[in-house]
Every structure is written in structure tokens, then in C-alpha cells.
Amino acid sequence: MYVRHEEYLGPVVSGEEIKSDLRHRKKKDVYKTVSGSSKQLIRRKVELEEAEGWRVFRRNAKSTRIAKEKPADEQLEDEVWSILAQMGFKEMSKGRQFKIAVEEGLPPRQIDVFAKDDEAAVIVECTRREEPGRKRMTHLIDKIKADRRDLIRSIHKAYSRKPKLKVNFVIATRKIAWSDADIEKCREAKITLITDSELHYYSQLTKHLKSAARYQFLAHLFSGQKIEGLKNRVMATRGKMGAHTFFTFLIRPDELLKIAYVGHKASRDIDSLETYQRMLQPIRLKKIAEFINNGGKFPTNIVVNLKTSKLRFDEKERYGEGMLGELYLPATYASAWIIDGQHRLYGYAYAREAGNGFNQDSTLLPVLAYKDLPADEEMNLFIDINSKQVKVRNNLLVELYSDLHWESPNSGEAFQALLSRTAVRLNSDGASPLNNRMVVSGKRKTSSRCLTQISIQAGLREAKLLGTYGNGAITPGPLSTARKDDYQLNLNKGFTVLSDCLRLFSTSLPEHWKLGDHREENRCGYLCTNNGIRAIFLIIKDISDHIEYKNSTKLCYFNAEKTFAEIKP
């Protein structure tokens, strides 16, 4: 059915009509039927149409169905519209004449794509080039800036509700190379830019996460912003596990999905989809959805880490060390990292798509929530829970964590990912003396393959070779660079110097190095074991400290070659 907001904006579609429009929008072609009183007449008409670029799609007894590729600009609009529709936005613009009222006395503004759910509305302008290249975007940016306030006011009037909808403006482009100046203009104007690679990413992510992909998309648009419509409070118990605060509460799956994330929330490249595919297996999600729709329930907790330094809890009663009260959940997208229970939670998104038997209004999930758990302890908990309950190898989980948080805007997460990825690369890179010496998924332990990525990662942290993390900041180490936020640069230098240092041992004592942890009466290996490598890391750190003290300089200012030249003697 149509939703009538025509005084301020329209036309819009919702419900089943979105599904109907989606079928047409997803097609690359437009179609029409040519009919006539005779086959000869139909053939002549078709020939005239073919001269205009149409082609025969299907010949029928009394007509011919012809097709033509949509214009390029219409294809882009339909692609963006289709991605947002499949994400589960509840209202969408209809056709190509959707308009929003602006200043009184002026004609309403035509908008390419409009999408709205319960908390937010998105306005998208689409533009492209026929061939890849640069295009000045200043005019479009200025146009959005000029109309922004009027467009938001019309949306708020059309949906007269409190809290008011959060509104974001997006420019989606195809084959356009953006200049740094235009990117900065977008940032200043609070306009989100979505390019070819991100369109592909969100298209694939939607296939994987179904409607839950919407919240990852909205986290991109409203990163770090408070969303009034997300405000939610639950009855909860509060307690302590060691030095860390935790809460337990019940919540509807839809409410938790809005603030949850399992992949790297800031990553939007197609390679990062491998992380989702490894963490969330579609076959398993479908089976869980069937279980849910057949009335199945999960008695165990979803475990999350609430990424916020401030969390309001109104105490009602106290029971010894525990408390009962009202917990106000973070009102921001992607604020709850799912440590355990990914398949159970995202299975509800699949169950909703199937649409038979799942009552989202009466279903509640038990949750154990930590408050702002430090990245290293979050990782250890993630590994402990998943390795023991899901029976995934610890080393694979270290690799997953390095993928999930690589170059995260949270420096604590990013630093742990740097350590993890360095350990992974020392095993996988052919230039490393530790190549194929670690027990990883699919490889059995032997006397020579006896190292673990967990131990190597912990050794790097203990020796502080790639730096330290504390008080919200990274301090460079001797094998990292002074550019503490350039994680790829730090990975490259750290890996190179570590490999060169370890090669001194592997080439000086080759027979002993090959032994690994081999044990017999006359021969016992030590150097290339977890303890031996970690001891070498500590030696490298002591030597580095001596060099820095003696020369009154920091090795982090040297490149890999110069750093190793200082350490080697």
C-alpha cells in the first residue's frame, strides 16, 4: 500500500509493494511488448524498434517481447535502491519522480533514492561517468548543502514522531575518481561518500547478513553519533568478574541486532567479507533459522562487549556484591561487539526473512555484557569461549581476530590485531625462518611444527617489540615505526627485522633449529620452540634498549635495514 506523505514527500512504497518494485529494479533491462494484426506487421514494428536499440527477448504467437538496457544513470539508481530495499528499509521512494518539499514558493526537490526505517532516513544522490575518470563534484555537494535543512524539516514533518528520525545524505558514484578536495568538502558537509567498491561490498554483505546488514550500513553513515531512536533500557543485574564490570539482561533479537556487529565495523572493502564468511557460516545460519521458526529456543547467553566508556545504570536493589537496576544501552550503531553467539543472533535475521513462525515481539535473548573490555582481554575471552564451546582451533581464532580488527579506529583493537597479524605472517611468509613451523588449522603438530600463533603473539606483546598500548594510545617499539597509526608499515618493518634476527639463529645453528621440540637422550630441541622464540624476543628487546641508551636515539625512527644493522652485531 502507499503511505501518504505527499504534502512533504512522495510517492513512497512499503511492505509488499517494495518487493514488487524490487523485482523490476534488479533487472538490467526494460521490456515492452510489440503486437499487431499480423506477423508481418509485428516484424516491421520490431525492425523499427531494433533501429532504436531494442533487441528481441522472446517471440510469442501473437506478439514479440523486446528489451533494451536501462540508461546508465538509471542502472546506478536502481542498484542503490535495490541494495537498500534488500537491507529491509521499511519505506522507499517509488519510481524516478520522488520529491521532497523545500523552501515555500520553490518547486520540490527531486531525489534519486530515499529509504527509511524506524530510526533513520537516508537520502541518496547518484552520479556516474561512462568511462573511469575524474569529475568535479562541487556543484552536487553545494546543492545538497543548500537544501539540507529544508529537506530534513520536510522529513520530520512527514513523520511527525518523537524521537525525530536521524537523517543522512549520501552521494553514490560509479567510475568516478574523487579528488582529495571534493572528499574533504563531503566530510565538512557531513555527506557520506559511497564508491564502486563500497556498493559491491554492501551488495555482497546484504546477501550474507540479510536485513542485519542495514545496521552495518547505518553504522557507516552515523559512526559515533547518538541515535535517539536507538535509546533502550532493560532491567539488568550488575556484578564484577575480577576487575571488570558485567551485566546480564533479556532483550529482543531485533533490538540487539541494531547495535551489534561481528566484523570490523570500520572496514568496507570486499576482502573483509571473508571475515564474515568465516565467522558466520550461511549453512549454519539457515539451520538455526529453521530451528527458530520451528519454535526452538536458546537458553545460553549471547556474550557482548559494550564499547562505551560511559554506561548509565540506575540501581534499584542490592544483593551482596550484585545489584538489580535499569541499564541504558548505548544509543549508537555498532556499539556491541559479539564475542560469542554470532550464529544465534544473526540466525534471527535469517528467520525473519523466512517469515514463518518467528514472533519477534515475544522472543527474548539472554545476554551477558561486559563494559568496555580492553582489547587484549576481549581477544583472550573471544578465543577462550569460541575454542572451548565451538571447537575452533585457537590459532584460527587469532587469525580471525587479526582480520576483524585490522586497522580498527579503536587503537587498542588495532594494536592487538597488529601483533596477531605479525604472528600469522611469520608462519605464512616464505621469507620467514618460522615459515610452516606453527600448528594451524589443517596442519598437524610435529616435532618441527610445534609453535603456536597464540604464544608468538603473546611473546611479541611481552617483549614490547612492536610497541605497547596503554591509556588509549600506542607507544612505538624498536621494531615498529614512529608512525604508530600506520599499521601496515609497522607490520612490514616488524616482520622484516624479526625474520632477519631469527635467521641469525636458524643459519648459525641449523641442525638445532630443525629439531623443534624433539626430545631424545642425546638431542633436545629448544631454540625453535615457543619458549625459545619468546626468549629470543626478550633478547632482541634487551639489545634494542642497550642501543637506544648508548646512542641516545630511538630505533623506531630507523627503517628495517638500518634497525637490523644496529642489532646484528
Side-chain angles (χ1 to χ4, degrees):
M1 61 176 287
Y2 285 95
V3 181
R4 300 192 180 280
H5 306 300
E6 285 86 349
E7 184 179 351
Y8 303 107
L9 57 84
V12 297
V13 289
S14 62
E16 290 300 315
E17 206 161 6
I18 290 180
K19 295 180 181 179
S20 176
D21 280 12
L22 180 60
R23 286 192 290 271
H24 298 290
R25 294 262 198 171
K26 289 175 72 174
K27 295 175 181 176
K28 297 293 185 183
D29 295 328
V30 290
Y31 301 86
K32 66 180 181 179
T33 300
V34 177
S35 58
S37 56
S38 67
K39 288 186 178 181
Q40 281 186 327
L41 180 58
I42 293 173
R43 187 166 56 251
R44 285 199 297 270
K45 285 184 176 181
V46 169
E47 288 172 354
L48 291 173
E49 296 289 358
E50 285 177 329
E52 296 294 326
W54 292 82
R55 67 182 187 279
V56 174
F57 176 72
R58 184 177 61 247
R59 295 187 188 277
N60 303 315
K62 297 183 179 181
S63 64
T64 297
R65 187 77 166 160
I66 59 175
K68 183 167 68 172
E69 192 175 75
K70 293 176 184 175
D73 58 340
E74 187 175 342
Q75 281 189 36
L76 178 59
E77 290 179 22
D78 283 353
E79 181 182 359
V80 173
W81 192 98
S82 298
I83 291 171
L84 300 188
Q86 290 173 101
M87 283 181 174
F89 281 92
K90 295 184 177 180
E91 291 184 24
M92 302 285 301
S93 51
K94 180 175 177 62
R96 305 196 71 207
Q97 294 302 316
F98 175 86
K99 296 177 181 178
I100 300 180
V102 287
E103 187 177 341
E104 188 174 346
L106 294 177
R109 168 80 181 277
Q110 187 272 329
I111 301 295
D112 292 338
V113 179
F114 172 80
K116 171 201 165 288
D117 70 359
D118 291 336
E119 293 81 31
V122 182
I123 293 173
V124 188
E125 292 293 342
C126 303
T127 185
R128 59 168 293 151
R129 281 178 52 98
E130 289 301 318
E131 298 296 331
R134 291 197 176 275
K135 180 178 180 179
R136 286 187 58 80
M137 304 300 293
T138 303
H139 175 71
L140 180 55
I141 295 169
D142 289 343
K143 190 176 180 182
I144 294 173
K145 286 171 62 178
D147 291 336
R148 183 187 192 98
R149 185 176 298 177
D150 290 332
L151 294 173
I152 293 175
R153 183 169 57 242
S154 289
I155 291 171
H156 287 164
K157 285 181 178 179
Y159 302 97
S160 54
R161 41 153 285 183
K162 290 186 178 181
K164 292 180 178 180
L165 290 169
K166 198 80 171 179
V167 181
N168 194 285
F169 293 79
V170 175
I171 296 177
T173 63
R174 175 74 76 208
K175 297 183 179 180
I176 291 176
W178 280 70
S179 69
D180 291 340
D182 283 343
I183 291 173
E184 180 60 21
K185 282 180 179 291
C186 269
R187 190 191 65 78
E188 291 175 352
K190 297 180 180 179
I191 299 170
T192 302
L193 167 62
I194 295 180
T195 58
D196 304 63
S197 60
E198 288 169 322
L199 283 173
H200 183 41
Y201 169 78
Y202 281 120
S203 174
Q204 297 302 308
L205 184 67
T206 302
K207 291 178 182 177
H208 198 68
L209 295 187
K210 305 299 183 185
S211 58
R214 180 166 85 256
Y215 305 120
Q216 306 298 309
F217 174 71
L218 291 172
H220 174 191
L221 269 56
F222 300 104
S223 177
Q225 296 184 42
K226 187 176 181 180
I227 310 296
E228 288 296 319
L230 286 183
K231 280 187 175 180
N232 193 10
R233 59 180 179 176
V234 293
M235 289 302 298
T237 57
R238 185 173 78 175
K240 284 270 190 179
M241 284 189 187
H244 302 299
T245 300
F246 74 91
F247 302 89
T248 59
F249 54 87
L250 297 173
I251 190 171
R252 287 172 45 197
D254 273 17
E255 295 300 320
L256 183 56
L257 279 167
K258 289 177 182 178
I259 62 172
Y261 71 104
V262 63
H264 180 357
K265 63 183 178 181
S267 178
R268 291 178 293 277
D269 60 80
I270 203 66
D271 290 340
S272 69
L273 281 173
E274 292 182 9
T275 300
Y276 283 100
Q277 290 163 358
R278 293 162 78 184
M279 287 299 299
L280 296 169
Q281 302 165 20
I283 293 176
R284 192 174 174 195
L285 289 168
K286 289 176 182 177
K287 289 181 178 179
I288 288 176
E290 290 175 7
F291 173 74
I292 291 169
N293 281 331
N294 288 328
K297 300 291 188 294
F298 299 105
T300 52
N301 286 325
I302 306 288
V303 182
V304 306
N305 186 18
L306 299 175
K307 301 294 187 80
T308 176
S309 57
K310 296 179 180 179
L311 199 60
R312 178 179 169 184
F313 179 76
D314 293 345
E315 180 184 338
K316 302 296 182 184
E317 296 182 52
R318 182 181 288 268
Y319 302 93
E321 296 299 315
M323 303 176 196
L324 175 67
E326 286 187 326
L327 173 66
Y328 291 73
L329 295 173
T332 55
Y333 292 111
S335 54
W337 155 250
I338 308 298
I339 296 174
D340 182 50
Q342 298 93 338
H343 285 94
R344 278 171 279 156
L345 178 59
Y346 284 89
Y348 280 94
Y350 270 68
R352 182 171 50 196
E353 294 285 325
N356 50 4
F358 165 40
N359 187 336
Q360 62 187 32
D361 294 324
S362 62
T363 301
L364 294 174
L365 295 176
V367 177
L368 169 64
Y370 289 92
K371 175 184 176 292
D372 209 21
L373 201 64
D376 57 341
E377 297 189 39
E378 175 195 71
M379 186 192 70
N380 291 333
L381 183 61
F382 171 77
I383 290 171
D384 287 344
I385 290 175
N386 286 279
S387 62
K388 290 178 175 59
Q389 294 188 7
V390 187
K391 297 182 180 178
V392 178
R393 284 183 178 271
N394 291 12
N395 289 299
L396 176 57
L397 291 165
V398 170
E399 188 175 343
L400 278 171
Y401 195 93
S402 75
D403 289 341
L404 292 166
H405 292 306
W406 181 244
E407 296 185 332
S408 167
N410 180 308
S411 53
E413 293 175 348
F415 180 68
Q416 292 302 322
L418 171 63
L419 299 180
S420 297
R421 188 161 287 199
T422 303
V424 170
R425 187 170 172 185
L426 283 169
N427 179 67
S428 62
D429 196 304
S432 165
L434 302 185
N435 177 235
N436 200 29
R437 299 297 295 268
M438 301 185 198
V439 183
V440 297
S441 182
K443 296 285 184 75
R444 297 180 62 184
K445 181 189 179 299
T446 65
S447 58
S448 64
R449 188 190 293 124
C450 61
L451 305 175
T452 67
Q453 292 175 344
I454 290 176
S455 181
I456 301 304
Q457 187 248 25
L460 291 171
R461 181 171 63 246
E462 179 185 18
K464 305 175 183 178
L465 294 174
L466 294 173
T468 57
Y469 174 77
N471 298 321
I474 297 171
T475 301
L479 305 194
S480 65
T481 73
R483 293 162 62 178
K484 58 188 179 181
D485 295 330
D486 193 331
Y487 301 107
Q488 188 62 50
L489 197 65
N490 291 325
L491 171 65
N492 292 342
K493 180 186 174 182
F495 167 78
T496 302
V497 180
L498 284 168
S499 296
D500 288 342
C501 289
L502 291 171
R503 195 171 296 108
L504 294 176
F505 292 86
S506 67
T507 55
S508 298
L509 296 163
E511 294 303 318
H512 190 93
W513 189 262
K514 290 176 184 176
L515 286 175
D517 66 357
H518 180 80
R519 292 286 185 271
E520 58 182 51
E521 187 175 348
N522 297 322
R523 295 196 309 164
C524 292
Y526 177 77
L527 271 182
C528 201
T529 65
N530 286 322
N531 288 341
I533 298 299
R534 290 175 70 161
I536 292 173
F537 287 170
L538 291 171
I539 291 170
I540 295 171
K541 179 60 165 65
D542 286 345
I543 292 171
S544 300
D545 289 345
H546 170 72
I547 292 167
E548 292 184 345
Y549 174 76
K550 180 181 176 182
N551 297 339
S552 299
T553 187
K554 293 286 187 182
L555 290 176
C556 65
Y557 292 110
F558 297 165
N559 63 21
E561 184 179 1
K562 174 67 171 172
T563 300
F564 178 62
E566 291 288 330
I567 293 173
K568 181 180 177 180

